[in-house]
Amino acid sequence: MSDAGNPMAAGNFVWTELNTPDPEAAKAFFAGVLGWTFTSKDMGPMGVYTIIQNGDRQIGGMMKMEGAMWDGIPPHWMSYIAVDDVDAAAGKVESLGGKVCVPPSDIPEVGRFCVINDPTGAVVSLITFLPMGG
């Protein structure tokens, strides 16, 4: 039986995230234009993570770009595509002409992700979620 109807199935875009140096300005803008609402959570050393909601549905997140790791990177939206095994998928990227920009890394209580470029230079993240409840 195919899992293609599951919105979280491998191969589907499953999350989008805004990285911006000014989350408050972005919140005001998208609340005004689209009616989105936001819930923020302090993630300790990782900073504040904001969940973007459209009505009662969580549709994405937002992070503040601060620190040297963001030097030279403009504000941007990052899309995440689900994969069954992020490490295995990342292992195929270079042989197919792409580049792994951020190697597979854990996101506590969420799963494991990596950031890649396709052969044309376009950027996307791959993610394997932890099983529900764990």
Side-chain angles (χ1 to χ4, degrees):
M1 183 169 169
S2 172
D3 197 25
N6 174 356
M8 301 303 279
N12 287 342
F13 283 90
V14 293
W15 194 250
T16 192
E17 196 167 72
L18 175 59
N19 295 292
T20 176
D22 192 347
E24 294 308 314
K27 287 181 199 177
F29 177 80
F30 287 109
V33 172
L34 301 171
W36 288 352
T37 58
F38 308 90
T39 305
S40 296
K41 180 179 180 183
D42 186 345
M43 303 294 286
M46 296 183 67
V48 174
Y49 191 79
T50 301
I51 300 292
I52 303 168
Q53 294 170 224
N54 185 20
D56 62 355
R57 186 170 162 240
Q58 294 182 353
I59 60 168
M62 185 183 314
M63 289 178 39
K64 184 173 184 174
M65 298 172 71
E66 58 185 346
M69 71 183 240
W70 296 104
D71 287 351
I73 301 173
H76 61 278
W77 285 93
M78 174 62 73
S79 296
Y80 288 77
I81 301 171
V83 294
D84 291 326
D85 181 337
V86 75
D87 292 272
K92 296 177 185 178
V93 169
E94 289 188 13
S95 69
L96 295 169
K99 176 183 173 191
V100 176
C101 303
V102 175
S105 305
D106 291 329
I107 304 172
E109 300 178 33
V110 174
R112 203 160 159 75
F113 84 107
C114 69
V115 180
I116 64 168
N117 289 119
D118 73 11
T120 71
V123 179
V124 71
S125 287
L126 306 178
I127 189 163
T128 301
F129 291 105
L130 291 173
M132 293 301 283

